[in-house]
Amino acid sequence: MAPRRRKKIRTKVSTRPIRPPGLMVVSVPIDDLRSADYNPRIWDETQLGKLMESIRRYGFIDPVIANGSSRRRNILIGGHMRLEAARRLGMTEVPVVFVDIPDIGREKDLNLRLNRSTGQWDFEKLKEFNVEMLLDVGFNATELSEIWDGALET
């Protein structure tokens, strides 16, 4: 008996955004959202000012994450600094992604993971950017010096 020939399966590449079922970005009044009192992330006025400048230039394009569970409804899990920037800019609504996490322990875990997953810089790629742009987005002269000096030491 001759072996069966396999049919080639063609897959169609989709350009639609991928998102988990039920995940939506909705506009919510700022006054309806509550900051989590356990949030360990802090910022200073300089950092907040730079974030506000980004929002002025490009809009509020990174939604905050809030709990949608009935027991923890509207408590912010991620985006406390963005919410404060929006308040100071006089915004009345912000984009929000709700997640259903009834357990405060899991909510805290997600908060920490969102705040901790910041990644690292690829200094070789950073050197390809214009220095004025790097300064404008928030790098200071000391950090830029470390980027270039560190590359000279290797």
Side-chain angles (χ1 to χ4, degrees):
M1 180 180 253
R4 287 182 149 178
R5 297 184 80 199
R6 291 186 177 188
K7 288 185 178 180
K8 287 187 179 179
I9 299 173
R10 293 182 184 223
T11 57
K12 187 176 182 180
V13 177
S14 174
T15 57
R16 290 182 291 140
I18 299 171
R19 70 175 187 215
L23 185 65
M24 295 184 342
V25 178
V26 294
S27 186
V28 176
I30 286 177
D31 292 339
D32 288 356
L33 298 169
R34 299 180 312 212
S35 294
D37 56 3
Y38 60 77
N39 183 46
R41 183 62 96 181
I42 59 173
W43 57 84
D44 62 30
E45 289 300 314
T46 301
Q47 294 165 320
L48 186 60
K50 290 175 182 174
L51 177 58
M52 290 169 62
E53 179 58 29
S54 289
I55 293 172
R56 278 189 209 97
R57 286 185 190 189
Y58 302 105
F60 202 105
I61 59 173
D62 189 9
V64 299
I65 299 170
N67 204 330
S69 168
S70 60
R71 294 190 316 213
R72 306 281 302 155
R73 182 107 181 125
N74 290 349
I75 293 178
L76 218 57
I77 300 172
H80 291 80
M81 185 175 169
R82 292 190 305 279
L83 184 64
E84 180 61 23
R87 278 191 176 112
R88 292 200 188 181
L89 288 169
M91 297 174 71
T92 57
E93 294 184 339
V94 293
V96 178
V97 171
F98 283 100
V99 293
D100 186 23
I101 304 177
D103 177 63
I104 190 168
R106 290 197 61 211
E107 179 186 294
K108 287 179 176 183
D109 181 72
L110 178 57
N111 171 276
L112 289 174
R113 290 176 187 279
L114 290 170
N115 282 304
R116 185 69 182 144
S117 60
T118 57
Q120 297 176 352
W121 294 109
D122 180 332
F123 295 122
E124 291 303 311
K125 289 184 180 178
L126 276 178
K127 288 190 286 185
E128 296 173 11
F129 284 84
N130 178 292
V131 172
E132 286 78 22
M133 179 186 286
L134 293 173
L135 289 168
D136 187 48
V137 299
F139 287 92
N140 62 42
T142 303
E143 291 169 323
L144 293 180
S145 175
E146 289 173 6
I147 292 168
W148 274 270
D149 290 349
L152 294 175
E153 293 172 7
T154 57

